[in-house]
């Protein structure tokens, strides 16, 4: 893992506040490493190049939500079928705050790659997300459906521009 640590991938302020152990099993840790090394690290590297080419400022990406064990997933109201619970999904926020540019970049970056879901979460009326959900694999560990959605007011729609 080049740009992210395991600790970043499993940290949760909710887990810390509620004293929830969010330690992944060895199998799920392997899923986290696979997801980061195969998809998230390359995305981060390409985002850096994109930011430098387009003068978008700071180039990092923060993981706002990564792995969620069952207790944490329940505490945050996550879906029972969430790929986060299997180490296959990460919610990402660009350090430079360029969320609309990051949304477009993620969609373009993933266009030629294997992935499960890209969800522009909590979009406002201008199409600007609160974060980008990037899922490498479906929770079954096999499917990569290449789905792109915008979540607006709690409902899924085809991804907006």
């Amino acid at each position: 893992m080049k740009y992210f640590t395991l600790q970043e991938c499993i940290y949760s302020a909710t887990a810390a506040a509620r004293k929830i152990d969010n330690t992944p099993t060895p199998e799920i840790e392997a899923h986290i490493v696979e997801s980061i090394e195969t998809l998230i690290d390359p995305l981060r590297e390409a985002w850096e190049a994109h930011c430098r080419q387009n003068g978008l400022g700071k180039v990092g990406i923060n993981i706002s939500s990564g792995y969620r064990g069952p207790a944490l997933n329940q505490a945050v109201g996550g879906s029972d079928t969430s790929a986060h619970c299997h180490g296959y999904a990460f919610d990402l926020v660009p350090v430079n705050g360029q969320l609309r540019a990051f949304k477009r970049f993620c969609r373009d970056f993933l266009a030629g790659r294997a992935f499960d879901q890209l969800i522009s979460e909590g979009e406002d009326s201008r199409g600007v997300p609160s974060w980008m959900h990037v899922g490498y694999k479906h929770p079954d560990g096999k499917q990569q459906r290449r789905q792109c959605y915008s979540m607006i007011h709690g409902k899924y729609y085809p991804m907006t521009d």
Side-chain angles (χ1 to χ4, degrees):
M1 297 195 329
K2 185 173 180 180
Y3 296 102
F4 302 95
T5 65
L6 180 62
Q7 186 58 36
E8 286 175 285
C9 295
I10 67 172
Y11 176 77
S12 164
T14 300
R18 296 187 186 183
K19 300 189 182 339
I20 297 171
D21 182 3
N22 198 45
T23 305
T25 64
E27 178 183 8
I28 290 177
E29 185 175 330
H31 296 172
I32 293 168
V33 171
E34 176 188 11
S35 299
I36 295 293
E37 290 182 349
T38 305
L39 190 63
I40 307 300
D41 270 347
L43 183 141
R44 162 48 176 90
E45 197 161 89
W47 174 244
E48 178 175 352
H50 179 80
C51 288
R52 292 192 193 288
Q53 282 181 327
N54 295 285
L56 296 178
K58 293 183 180 181
V59 298
I61 296 173
N62 290 325
I63 296 173
S64 61
S65 182
Y67 169 68
R68 296 194 302 245
L72 176 58
N73 194 55
Q74 184 176 23
V76 300
S79 165
D80 291 340
T81 60
S82 175
H84 285 278
C85 299
H86 300 272
Y88 288 133
F90 301 87
D91 295 340
L92 307 176
V93 177
V95 172
N96 61 12
Q98 299 285 332
L99 281 153
R100 184 154 187 170
F102 187 60
K103 172 182 143 180
R104 289 177 176 153
F105 169 81
C106 287
R107 185 176 50 213
D108 291 346
F109 176 82
L110 292 173
R113 290 178 168 75
F115 72 99
D116 188 49
Q117 289 185 321
L118 177 65
I119 305 172
S120 178
E121 300 267 8
E123 279 193 19
D124 66 16
S125 61
R126 298 168 294 136
V128 178
S130 297
W131 67 87
M132 293 300 295
H133 168 97
V134 180
Y136 176 53
K137 289 183 179 177
H138 183 273
D140 67 13
K142 296 180 179 102
Q143 293 181 70
Q144 293 179 301
R145 300 170 291 178
R146 300 176 49 93
Q147 297 175 332
C148 294
Y149 294 113
S150 289
M151 182 178 269
I152 304 168
H153 305 298
K155 293 185 180 181
Y156 291 104
Y157 299 93
M159 187 172 281
T160 64
D161 185 31

